[in-house]
């Protein structure tokens, strides 16, 4: 059975990796990696394939950057051509919530190709986020919806998705983390930055709502520099963020501030090594909210909402605005946030459950 594993952007690669390795071990499965090319820099893409021990993608659509419509449209056209030219899978698996996720789901269903969505059902209820639109579209189209947490099941049921299409399988990101744990623990990337464990914070910010408006970005830089006065900050810069900082002339100022270490986007293993050993995280990423909850590390998410509420109700994640960030850091210094418990099925065995689900779906019993 040919199974396309579709990946597009940095947060997708750690979601397909455990599943690729798991399916590769099955006689009935032929997993084929399809890279849409939404992320194309070495640091945003190839480095992840190497760190996660993935082969080069068998199919590369090379769509690159563009407006939302261009990116989505180009992926639809290119993936439709793959199918029409004869490379038709028995199942297309899409992950996460990037433009390519929705685009491949749309192109597939119109050609009668079955689609499964891994990480289905997450909702921020904020339709100004492009990712929320991608989630809603993808979940409306998918034949199988694999969810990471009970809130996601509830969202889908409320939207009228039939219960038999939904299966809670847990969090696939935790599979990647556990698969690479030894390499992450050996890495000690913080040494190369002159930092010691538990005495620095990691910052990752790239959402348009935080980094696209000059006024917001200036405010962000002001608070980061102020926070760096009490705790060194390591800030791996997403290309979007770097570009916008440079355009405002803020890059050099930020870089020259003694407590700030600006670095290139990091491959999975050094990045996770930084997270494993930090005192706290400031982020607007989705995946980092989950990883810190699993590891019990305090996480400040600079967003008004999250599609991953379980990281707040059960985990170490706290939402706040940019102006409240320093106050939140003070609170964490006074009393580190404790997790209530690790969410159910975030256990490193999600790929096994997904493989079993595919087996059932394709009637291979
Ligand atoms: C995308 C996803 C977002 C995800 C994020 C992770 C959508 C709508 N957004 O946002 O959900 O959290 O990836 O990183 O799908 N660029 C490079 N090199 C690259 C990739 C991008 O220079 O390898 C530049 C692009 O030219 C663009 C900017 O970075 O100007 C943003 O890239 P884009 O793919 O539009 O969205 P992200 O912000 O990365």
């Amino acid at each position: 059975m040919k199974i396309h594993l579709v990946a597009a952007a940095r947060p997708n690669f750690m979601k397909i990796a455990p599943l690729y390795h798991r399916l590769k071990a099955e006689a009935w499965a032929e997993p084929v990696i399809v890279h849409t090319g939404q992320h194309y820099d070495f640091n945003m893409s190839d480095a992840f394939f190497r760190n996660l021990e993935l082969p080069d993608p068998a199919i590369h659509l090379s769509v690159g950057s563009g407006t939302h419509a261009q990116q989505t449209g180009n992926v639809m056209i290119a993936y439709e051509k793959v199918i029409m030219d004869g490379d038709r899978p028995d199942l297309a698996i899409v992950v996460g919530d990037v433009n390519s996720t929705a685009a491949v789901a749309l192109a597939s269903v119109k050609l009668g190709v079955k689609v499964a969505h891994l990480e289905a059902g997450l909702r921020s209820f904020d339709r100004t986020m492009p990712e929320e639109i991608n989630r809603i579209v993808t979940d409306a189209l998918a034949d199988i919806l694999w969810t990471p947490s009970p809130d996601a099941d509830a969202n889908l049921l409320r939207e009228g998705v039939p219960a038999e299409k939904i299966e809670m399988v847990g969090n696939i990101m935790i599979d990647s983390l556990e698969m690479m744990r030894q390499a992450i623990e050996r890495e000690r990337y913080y040494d190369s930055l002159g930092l010691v464990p538990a005495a620095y914070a990691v910052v990752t910010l790239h959402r348009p709502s935080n980094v696209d408006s000059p006024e917001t970005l200036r405010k962000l830089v002001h608070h980061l520099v102020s926070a760096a006065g009490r705790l060194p900050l390591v800030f791996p810069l997403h290309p979007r963020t770097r570009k916008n900082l440079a355009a405002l002339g803020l890059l050099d100022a930020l870089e020259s501030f003694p407590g700030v270490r600006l670095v290139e986007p990091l491959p999975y293993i050094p990045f996770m090594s930084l997270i494993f050993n930090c005192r706290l995280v400031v982020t607007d990423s989705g995946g980092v909210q989950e990883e810190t909850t699993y590891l019990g590390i305090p996480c400040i998410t600079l967003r008004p909402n999250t599609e991953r509420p379980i990281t707040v109700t059960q985990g170490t994640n706290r939402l706040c605005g940019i102006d409240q960030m320093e106050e939140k850091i003070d609170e964490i210094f006074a009393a580190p946030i404790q997790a209530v418990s690790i969410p159910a099925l975030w256990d490193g065995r999600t790929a096994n459950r997904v493989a079993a689900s595919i087996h059932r779906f394709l009637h291979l019993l």
Side-chain angles (χ1 to χ4, degrees), residues 149-151 289 293 306 308-319 337-343 346:
S149 47
D151 54 285
Q289 296 173 51
T293 272
T306 178
R308 294 160 161 93
I310 202 165
T311 60
V312 177
T313 54
Q314 273 182 239
T316 52
N317 188 24
R318 297 295 179 269
L319 309 183
I337 305 161
Q338 305 283 349
V340 177
S341 60
I342 293 172
W346 292 25

Side-chain angles (χ1 to χ4, degrees), residues 162-355:
E164 59 273 18
K165 285 185 168 187
I166 306 168
E167 188 175 346
M168 191 166 87
V169 292
N171 192 329
I172 193 80
M173 304 267 291
I174 307 306
D175 286 36
S176 281
L177 189 154
E178 288 302 337
M179 187 173 88
M180 304 320 272
R181 182 182 276 276
Q182 283 188 349
I184 294 166
E185 287 177 349
R186 267 199 311 270
E187 171 83 12
R188 300 165 63 102
Y189 178 72
Y190 49 85
D191 276 347
S192 67
L193 299 172
L195 297 169
V196 291
Y200 65 89
V202 178
V203 179
T204 84
L205 296 163
H206 75 278
R207 296 261 164 228
S209 56
N210 279 329
V211 305
D212 280 5
S213 135
E215 193 194 333
T216 309
L217 197 52
R218 277 201 193 91
K219 199 162 65 169
L220 198 53
V221 168
H222 167 79
H223 286 296
L224 287 175
V225 163
S226 167
R230 61 182 304 188
L231 182 72
L233 304 182
V234 187
F235 192 175
L237 272 188
H238 188 282
R240 173 190 285 278
T241 312
R242 175 176 289 278
K243 205 177 343 180
N244 294 346
L245 283 169
L248 284 183
L250 290 172
L251 197 55
D252 292 343
L254 193 56
E255 193 141 45
S256 59
F257 196 80
V260 177
R261 314 273 201 289
L262 290 190
V263 296
E264 289 299 312
L266 293 171
Y268 184 71
I269 290 171
F271 181 73
M272 289 311 300
S273 139
L274 274 184
I275 298 285
F276 268 49
N277 292 286
C278 71
R279 174 94 181 249
L280 62 97
V281 171
V282 176
T283 193
D284 58 12
S285 147
V288 175
Q289 296 173 51
E290 299 177 333
E291 288 156 342
T292 47
T293 272
Y294 182 67
L295 295 169
I297 293 166
C299 178
I300 299 170
T301 297
L302 299 186
R303 285 178 45 191
N305 49 53
T306 178
E307 60 289 334
R308 294 160 161 93
I310 202 165
T311 60
V312 177
T313 54
Q314 273 182 239
T316 52
N317 188 24
R318 297 295 179 269
L319 309 183
C320 77
I322 295 170
D323 289 327
Q324 288 78 51
M325 177 182 82
E326 291 187 68
E327 202 178 301
K328 274 273 177 275
I329 294 177
D330 287 340
E331 284 173 26
I332 292 171
F333 269 83
I337 305 161
Q338 305 283 349
V340 177
S341 60
I342 293 172
L345 306 184
W346 292 25
D347 58 1
R349 294 198 288 274
T350 292
N352 289 348
R353 289 186 280 270
V354 171

